[in-house]
Amino acid sequence: MAKAAVKRPSLRGRFITFEGGEGSGKSTQIRRLAERLDAAKLRAIVTREPGGSPGAEIIRHLLLSGMGKLLGPDAETLLFAAARDDHVRTVILPALDQGTWVLCDRFFDSTRVYQGRLGQVPPGLVSAMQRVTIGELKPDLTFILDVPVEVGLKRAAARRGSAAPDRFESEDIQFHQDLREAYRQLAAEDPERCVLIDANADADRVAKRIWTALRKHLHAAFAVASTA
Ligand code: T5A
């Protein structure tokens, strides 16, 4: 008897983004996940926003120095969008098309939260920028790392040492509380894509939580593809 055809998820690489407040541990965890994928013989690249491509890294410098802020919230949002446009076209899409996994430290959710929900940039502008820069591209999975604000800021300050806080680190404590709340809301609104990770634990434990959530997500995706 002929075997029933099992549809496998597409060979396109998976697109996984990491989001969260300042010092929530995204860069640490993205490196850990890349190591695990490498050990599992899966090809993956690690990238970040703003930045991730030569052109976008130049814009990153402008944004984090606070120059974008001087132009006003709408123009600052356009700068994030310009950086994303370059990054998506030259790095993310080519990698996914070759079957490479892309692990990205921040993506469009950061614009939705920082500029949209907290920065009072009109939703119409945020959506228009999203359409222009990423079109139909959406992360397959987004980990939102959640830590109490004081913990995140303390970690960010310890890592920074004597350097001055950047454009967003220097916002007041209320901004960071609102930021945490906005990310928690995002996770609640889009539970199929977003997984809220309790990141207030040592890095090993957080890595374990992320790996467990990823495996669960992949099993679910495989089951859907098999029955489609
Ligand atoms: N932004 C970005 C927007 O406003 N709109 C947008 O569209 C986009 C894309 C980017 C800024 O731009 C804004 C958001 C940001 O403010 P950035 O320099 O890239 O700036 O800063 P962040 O993305 O916020 O990243 P950070 O480097 O500040 O923090 P991470 O990556 O979350 O944390 P990480 O891993 O570097 O850890 C910080 C320190 O804590 C330690 C680490 O060793 C490190 O020293 N640490 C832990 N300590 C204890 N326990 C753990 N579990 C730990 N995990 C990490």
Side-chain angles (χ1 to χ4, degrees), residues 68-90:
K69 187 179 183 183
L70 295 176
L71 302 175
D74 291 2
E76 189 180 41
T77 303
L78 294 177
L79 284 176
F80 277 111
R84 180 161 304 130
D85 185 62
D86 190 60
H87 185 214
V88 167
R89 273 186 304 104
T90 65

Side-chain angles (χ1 to χ4, degrees), residues 42-90:
L42 284 164
R43 210 167 53 226
I45 59 165
V46 171
T47 187
R48 68 172 179 186
E49 290 209 346
S53 62
E57 286 291 327
I58 294 171
I59 302 176
R60 174 185 174 91
H61 179 70
L62 284 176
L63 284 163
L64 296 192
S65 70
M67 282 189 44
K69 187 179 183 183
L70 295 176
L71 302 175
D74 291 2
E76 189 180 41
T77 303
L78 294 177
L79 284 176
F80 277 111
R84 180 161 304 130
D85 185 62
D86 190 60
H87 185 214
V88 167
R89 273 186 304 104
T90 65

Side-chain angles (χ1 to χ4, degrees), residues 59-215:
I59 302 176
R60 174 185 174 91
H61 179 70
L62 284 176
L63 284 163
L64 296 192
S65 70
M67 282 189 44
K69 187 179 183 183
L70 295 176
L71 302 175
D74 291 2
E76 189 180 41
T77 303
L78 294 177
L79 284 176
F80 277 111
R84 180 161 304 130
D85 185 62
D86 190 60
H87 185 214
V88 167
R89 273 186 304 104
T90 65
V91 175
I92 297 179
L93 288 177
L96 292 174
D97 286 344
Q98 285 166 16
T100 301
W101 289 43
V102 176
L103 311 183
C104 189
D105 193 340
R106 298 194 179 282
F107 194 58
F108 76 78
D109 290 316
S110 285
T111 301
R112 288 166 69 189
V113 168
Y114 278 78
Q115 281 67 51
R117 296 192 186 191
L118 273 75
Q120 278 119 36
V121 171
L125 178 60
V126 173
S127 308
M129 287 301 97
Q130 188 173 321
R131 263 197 317 278
V132 170
T133 56
I134 66 174
E136 297 298 306
L137 175 70
K138 245 188 161 194
D140 296 296
L141 184 60
T142 296
F143 291 114
I144 298 178
L145 271 50
D146 182 56
V147 287
V149 168
E150 319 77 62
V151 173
L153 291 179
K154 214 165 146 188
R155 286 183 191 168
R159 191 213 37 211
R160 191 171 64 238
S162 57
D166 72 24
R167 152 78 177 90
F168 292 97
E169 283 168 0
S170 50
E171 292 284 352
D172 65 19
I173 193 85
Q174 189 58 48
F175 176 91
H176 294 285
Q177 304 279 17
D178 294 345
L179 187 64
R180 184 183 187 201
E181 196 41 47
Y183 270 121
R184 293 168 71 98
Q185 264 179 32
L186 188 74
E189 286 165 12
D190 196 352
E192 286 206 356
R193 175 174 66 89
C194 300
V195 181
L196 190 72
I197 299 284
D198 175 2
N200 190 17
D202 65 66
D204 286 345
R205 199 174 298 182
V206 179
K208 217 172 193 176
R209 289 172 185 162
I210 289 173
W211 186 243
T212 304
L214 177 64
R215 287 172 56 117

